[in-house]
Each structure stands twice: as C-alpha cells, then as structure tokens.
Amino acid sequence: MNELARKKRALEHSRRVNAGDLEAIIALYAPDAVVEDPVGLPPITGHDALRAHYELLLASRVHEETTEPVAGQDAEHALLQVTSVMDYLPSGPLYAERGWLKAPDAPRTARIQRAATLAIRMDPSGLIRSLKSYWGTSDLTLLG
Amino acid sequence: MPDEATRKKMVVDYAQRINAGDIEGVLDLFTDDIVFADPVGRPPMVGKGDLRRHLELAVSCGTYEVPGQPVTSMDDRFVVAPSTITVRWPRPMTFRVVGVVELDENGLGRRVDAFWGVTDVTMDETENPGNPEDAETAEEAETAKDAAAEDAAESAIEGSAGTHRPEGIRA
C-alpha cells in the first residue's frame, strides 16, 4: 500500500471506533494481528481477544480525535496521534488498581482523557498486522 | 529506569541541542551502539560515528525542530514524539516526523525510529510547490515558513551548506 492509502486506513480505524462498530473494527485486522495497548502490557493476539479488548473500550463510549498521520518509508507503517475521551467506567477501576490514576469521587460521571500515538503496521492488502499504542501514566487525565 | 517525565524531557533536550547546533550535546543523549533509523525504511545509522555525520549534515542544512506533545509507554522504555522539522538548505522544506525512541536503564537513547514518508515533506518555496501529494495543509506550510523566516533572521550562518542534501530525501 502506498503512503496515502496507509494513512487513510489509520484514520479509518479511529472512524470505526467512533462509530462504535465492533465488527467493523475487527475487520481491519489480520487474523493473527498483535495489539499492544498500551505498549508494556502483554500483547493481545487474534480476533477473539481483540473483540474482547474493543468491546470494553466501546463500553466506555470512547471518542477519538486524530491528527494527520505520518507514514514510514518501509511500505508498512502509518503513525497516528490520538486523543481519546472515555467514561471512567468500565475500564477506569482497573487503571486505578494498577496505580495509573487516582480513583475519582464520582466514578459514574467521571471521564478519562488519554493521549496516545498508534504505530500501525499493515500487510500489502491493508490489513493490520500489528498495532502499538504508546501511552503512559502521565498521558492520562481524569476529567471531573 | 528513566521515569516518564525523564523520558519526555529527553526529546525536548534533543530538539534544543540540535537547534543550537550542539552536536556533542545531542550525542550525549545516546548509547555508543545507538541504532538510528531516519527515515524508517532506509538502513539505519549504527554507532555514534555514523550518527555524528548525520547530525553534522542536519546542522549544516539549518535544521530546526519543534517537538510536539510526547507520549510514553508502560514498560519504562519508550518515548514517542511528533515533531515538525524545517530545513533551510538545499531549499526550505518541512518534515512531519514521529520519533519512536527506546531508552536504556540509564535514560540514554539506544534506538530511534524516525517515521516520515515522502508525503510528509512539504516544499516551502511558492515558486516551486512540488508534488501536490506532498503538500499537507496550507496552515502548516505557513507556520513552517514563519518559523524558517524567524530562524533565518536570527542566524548569521550562510555559506557552503547549500550543496548538501539531507539523507533519505527522495522528493
């Protein structure tokens, strides 16, 4: 895939997340795709595990804002900065348990903002082979 | 291990030092066996000797780097930062880059993957706008021009640097 096609694919990932369309998100991935979200946790492999991962994300009513992607000159990569805003529930308590953020006083109404950069590697047909989502504790902000 | 704030500071230090032309200061941020791919997709530079030549070229081209908001990872190893890089020679150009930097336990960079494509390069001279596919937004081009103009006004560096080309540019 050329650079522009890869950038378009990377943006399409966020578009499908924002549309809340789980199966459409999974359809972007190769069957043996590997996702690290965040980088540093054990990788998630295969459609079933990815479905569980994105189901949880969509349950938090996530919305992603993106910037213009950049490409690699390796015929494989597109990188995308993503700022996500999501409900504290259901994932937030796990974040708090890990010490990534402080548990809010009002968990039902609290939201999380997260800055991340996605490094997405695609096969020649445009299916995602690997996605690395870089974000750390300091990239999380509790909103209200 | 370098904490997240330390990792984020590293990319800011990198930009400040290269903008100041402080090549040895930049090299101090990396391990002796640094592997530096710029751009990803070309054979990487390996070791400080290779990297020094790359940095000398970058400085001679009037490189000015403005880092964006960095992010990190949960394994104490990475900092990832977007940046907008302008060069003045051989002609004004703007590069949109995302750098993935892996640090060692002492906070030194051991690997850099600088991602930028030919579609992330903008030619900034109006008389030769280049390939339309290369153009990003008009706003970005204007910002880069302003930055380059300010930079040029501050700088007394003129001379033979115009014959150099940054490595990896195919546009």
Side-chain angles (χ1 to χ4, degrees):
Chain A
M1 291 189 103
N2 69 32
E3 293 187 7
L4 295 177
R6 276 178 274 141
K7 291 179 179 185
K8 202 173 159 190
R9 271 275 151 148
L11 291 169
E12 179 65 15
H13 189 276
S14 280
R15 197 191 68 74
R16 293 185 185 190
V17 168
N18 287 342
D21 188 342
L22 181 61
E23 290 309 316
I25 298 167
I26 302 304
L28 290 172
Y29 286 91
D32 57 351
V34 178
V35 169
E36 296 171 61
D37 183 16
V39 170
L41 287 197
I44 301 160
T45 306
H47 278 190
D48 288 344
L50 285 177
R51 198 171 278 114
H53 177 73
Y54 283 110
E55 207 162 24
L56 198 62
L57 183 68
L58 295 181
S60 70
R61 300 190 301 157
V62 66
H63 182 81
E64 298 187 351
E65 297 282 346
T66 57
T67 60
E68 183 64 25
V70 305
Q73 294 190 35
D74 57 359
E76 291 189 323
H77 272 95
L79 280 80
L80 180 66
Q81 293 168 255
V82 177
T83 302
S84 306
V85 175
M86 66 197 91
D87 289 350
Y88 179 74
L89 298 176
S91 298
L94 187 60
Y95 289 13
E97 195 179 297
R98 289 170 171 156
W100 292 352
L101 47 72
K102 187 175 167 293
D105 296 332
R108 285 176 193 285
T109 54
R111 310 205 83 197
I112 297 169
Q113 180 176 296
R114 182 175 75 198
T117 296
L118 310 186
I120 303 175
R121 189 164 64 87
M122 301 167 209
D123 71 14
S125 73
L127 288 177
I128 298 172
R129 303 178 75 157
S130 87
L131 182 149
K132 295 184 182 193
S133 182
Y134 291 92
W135 54 275
T137 306
S138 60
D139 303 313
L140 296 172
T141 311
L142 199 59
L143 308 173
Chain B
M1 300 299 283
D3 64 18
E4 294 190 14
T6 303
R7 280 179 274 156
K8 289 182 175 182
K9 184 173 178 295
M10 189 269 196
V11 294
V12 176
D13 288 346
Y14 176 91
Q16 281 177 347
R17 292 178 192 186
I18 198 150
N19 291 347
D22 179 7
I23 289 169
E24 295 308 315
V26 175
L27 289 169
D28 286 344
L29 296 170
F30 297 102
T31 61
D32 288 341
D33 58 353
I34 172 69
V35 176
F36 199 108
D38 183 15
V40 171
R42 294 296 187 89
M45 291 154 273
V46 179
K48 283 193 174 176
D50 253 11
L51 182 56
R52 182 181 282 107
R53 284 189 288 279
H54 176 71
L55 295 169
E56 285 168 354
L57 187 62
V59 169
S60 74
C61 292
T63 293
Y64 193 86
E65 177 160 345
V66 179
Q69 184 193 4
V71 295
T72 59
S73 65
M74 291 293 185
D75 58 4
D76 300 325
R77 287 165 59 198
F78 291 97
V79 59
V80 179
S83 58
T84 302
I85 299 173
T86 53
V87 302
R88 292 201 293 275
W89 302 290
R91 55 174 295 168
M93 286 184 285
T94 301
F95 298 75
R96 295 177 59 251
V97 180
V98 174
V100 178
V101 182
E102 182 182 358
L103 292 85
D104 74 359
E105 62 278 9
N106 300 314
L108 295 175
R110 68 195 311 176
R111 183 171 181 99
V112 175
D113 285 315
F115 288 91
W116 55 273
V118 292
T119 54
D120 300 313
V121 184
T122 310
M123 302 295 161
D124 296 332
E125 284 175 356
T126 50
E127 62 267 30
N128 183 0
N131 184 335
E133 279 195 355
D134 291 344
E136 292 295 340
T137 66
E139 190 185 353
E140 279 176 2
E142 285 305 315
T143 305
K145 277 183 215 162
D146 291 346
E150 282 175 20
D151 206 23
E154 287 168 9
S155 174
I157 305 168
E158 297 287 349
S160 61
T163 55
H164 294 295
R165 284 179 73 82
E167 287 176 36
I169 294 175
R170 289 186 285 188

